Amino acid sequence: MEYTVDVFFRQSWKDERLKFHGPMNILPLNNLMASKIWTPDTFFHNGKKSVAHNMTMPNKLLRIMEDGTLLYTMRLTVQAECPMHLEDFPMDSHSCPLKFGSYAYTKTEVTYIWTRNASQSVDVAADGSRLNQYDLVGQTAGKETIKSSTGEYTVMTAQFHLKRKIGYFVIQTYLPCIMTVILSQVSFWLNRESVPARTVFGVTTVLTMTTLSISARNSLPKVAYATAMDWFIAVCYAFVFSALIEFATVNYFTKRGWAWDGKTIVTDKKKEVSAVKKNNAYAVAVANYAPNITKDSTLPTVSKCVLNDSNKTPVDTKSEQNKKTFNSVSKIDRISRIMFPVLFGSFNLVYWATYLNREPVVKDMNPS
């Protein structure tokens, strides 16, 4: 990441050649005099672009004390690099350095030190931070030595410690993901016979999670590892996809259940039909051979009773079967109604407790 800082860069050094005695203790000079005297060749090691302000005049200040001490101040806008590790995104903290030192003079020729102690040398105004996504936790200053083929150089380092604001990501990503998972679990409370409704729930929530994942990833730098938000979205996607698989399982076993019950029903129906056929045959036989048989009032009564009983049995059986199978609730749905919310709630508890209570990992907090 790159960040931009607007600084008043102050340097002070002592040049014995510029001592003077006169009525003034401090001699202010025009900024054009800076080109007439020796000045440090300071540059920013991690600077991508630096601009010296020249409106309406060059924003520079040069003063000489009577003992030869010079104060050279200029206003700069520096665009610098900030290495970032996004494993904890968006609950991450970063330490953005601003490194500067001499370009040509080694540490044996020019040595940089902080004029004040390191904690007071870098001062940020109370309203100086204008970052939308970060809070400025603090700043520290340090010093290090680097080696190159031309010698050893002193490098001064100012660290700006930043912590990302999570509010935007909660509204844009986390809450929609949580609501999508909850919506996918509503299908557990629908009847297993409601195939269109549960299919719409499953497919819609899966597509919604896919869209949220893509939009969240587009706002991130292209990194090769998973961030904290990626893990959250992946788990939410797994819950939504599992809800769809759960419905497919319930629907599959529901069809199997109807098939098994159908075999039993078919067998019973065959017995009933055969009984009815026998009774009908008996009744027909009685009707055909009635002239050859002595009139007996009990025969037609018996045939009618048999027919009436046979007609009642299938109707009663069907009503009982319909009562047992209509709007039935699957055992898988009953288990999912409890298991899915408990698992998702436990995941959220562990996730937020882990990342929100984690201390920010900030390097180089102690100045050297």
Side-chain angles (χ1 to χ4, degrees):
M1 185 191 77
E2 296 179 355
Y3 71 99
T4 303
V5 57
D6 191 4
V7 298
F8 292 96
F9 191 65
R10 299 183 177 95
Q11 301 177 91
S12 179
W13 67 94
K14 189 173 183 180
D15 192 342
E16 298 287 345
R17 299 171 298 179
L18 298 178
K19 288 183 179 180
F20 67 93
H21 297 280
M24 300 176 61
N25 295 329
I26 300 176
L27 179 62
L29 299 176
N30 189 279
N31 63 85
L32 298 177
M33 290 297 296
S35 61
K36 306 295 183 180
I37 62 176
W38 181 90
T39 56
D41 57 343
T42 306
F43 82 108
F44 294 94
H45 288 257
N46 61 330
K48 302 289 289 185
K49 183 180 179 181
S50 300
V51 177
H53 294 264
N54 295 317
M55 296 300 293
T56 56
M57 290 291 291
N59 299 167
K60 296 179 181 180
L61 179 147
L62 180 62
R63 292 177 181 175
I64 304 177
M65 286 67 171
E66 60 180 358
D67 61 348
T69 301
L70 290 91
L71 175 64
Y72 185 40
T73 301
M74 63 184 70
R75 184 189 173 197
L76 302 174
T77 298
V78 182
Q79 186 176 356
E81 291 181 344
C82 179
M84 306 183 74
H85 300 280
L86 302 175
E87 289 86 353
D88 296 339
F89 176 87
M91 284 80 69
D92 51 343
S93 300
H94 303 282
S95 180
C96 294
L98 183 63
K99 298 181 179 182
F100 59 91
S102 176
Y103 184 82
Y105 297 104
T106 62
K107 70 176 185 178
T108 58
E109 298 171 328
V110 174
T111 300
Y112 285 81
I113 59 173
W114 296 105
T115 304
R116 305 176 185 177
N117 54 29
S119 61
Q120 297 179 354
S121 296
V122 180
D123 187 17
V124 179
D127 58 346
S129 176
R130 295 184 294 272
L131 300 174
N132 294 326
Q133 293 190 24
Y134 295 92
D135 286 323
L136 182 62
V137 179
Q139 63 278 346
T140 56
K143 178 181 177 181
E144 60 182 337
T145 302
I146 62 171
K147 295 181 180 180
S148 67
S149 59
T150 57
E152 296 183 354
Y153 297 88
T154 302
V155 177
M156 311 301 287
T157 304
Q159 300 279 354
F160 300 98
H161 307 299
L162 306 175
K163 183 172 179 58
R164 193 185 302 271
K165 298 177 183 178
I166 194 176
Y168 170 81
F169 302 97
V170 169
I171 297 173
Q172 294 294 324
T173 303
Y174 283 101
L175 285 181
C177 288
I178 293 174
M179 296 304 296
T180 303
V181 173
I182 295 174
L183 182 63
S184 68
Q185 296 176 5
V186 173
S187 63
F188 301 151
W189 298 87
L190 299 178
N191 296 327
R192 58 180 175 178
E193 293 84 5
S194 303
V195 177
R198 297 190 66 167
T199 303
V200 169
F201 266 107
V203 175
T204 303
T205 51
V206 168
L207 293 177
T208 303
M209 281 303 307
T210 304
T211 304
L212 289 174
S213 176
I214 294 174
S215 61
R217 196 65 184 175
N218 287 336
S219 61
L220 278 177
K222 302 299 183 291
V223 293
Y225 49 84
T227 64
M229 180 183 287
D230 291 334
W231 287 116
F232 187 87
I233 294 176
V235 172
C236 290
Y237 193 92
F239 271 98
V240 171
F241 191 76
S242 298
L244 182 60
I245 297 300
E246 186 271 349
F247 164 64
T249 305
V250 170
N251 190 38
Y252 174 77
F253 284 110
T254 299
K255 292 182 178 180
R256 291 285 299 273
W258 279 101
W260 293 334
D261 295 337
K263 292 179 181 179
T264 306
I265 292 171
V266 170
T267 304
D268 295 340
K269 284 185 176 181
K270 286 181 180 179
K271 292 181 180 179
E272 293 166 1
V273 171
S274 61
V276 171
K277 286 182 179 179
K278 290 180 180 179
N279 294 331
N280 289 337
Y282 176 75
V284 172
V286 171
N288 292 335
Y289 294 97
N292 299 327
I293 300 174
T294 306
K295 290 183 179 180
D296 191 353
S297 60
T298 59
L299 288 176
T301 304
V302 171
S303 64
K304 290 179 181 180
C305 292
V306 172
L307 288 173
N308 291 335
D309 293 339
S310 63
N311 291 333
K312 289 180 181 179
T313 302
V315 176
D316 296 339
T317 304
K318 289 181 180 179
S319 62
E320 291 178 358
Q321 292 170 353
N322 291 334
K323 289 179 181 179
K324 291 181 180 179
T325 58
F326 185 70
N327 285 342
S328 59
V329 179
S330 172
K331 291 182 179 180
I332 301 177
D333 279 340
R334 292 176 182 173
I335 296 174
S336 299
R337 291 174 184 177
I338 300 174
M339 184 181 68
F340 273 72
V342 169
L343 289 178
F344 187 64
S346 302
F347 164 72
N348 276 274
L349 182 63
V350 173
Y351 179 88
W352 294 109
T354 300
Y355 284 102
L356 293 182
N357 294 330
R358 179 177 296 180
E359 292 294 331
V361 180
V362 179
K363 298 180 181 179
D364 300 327
M365 286 292 293
N366 298 322
S368 57

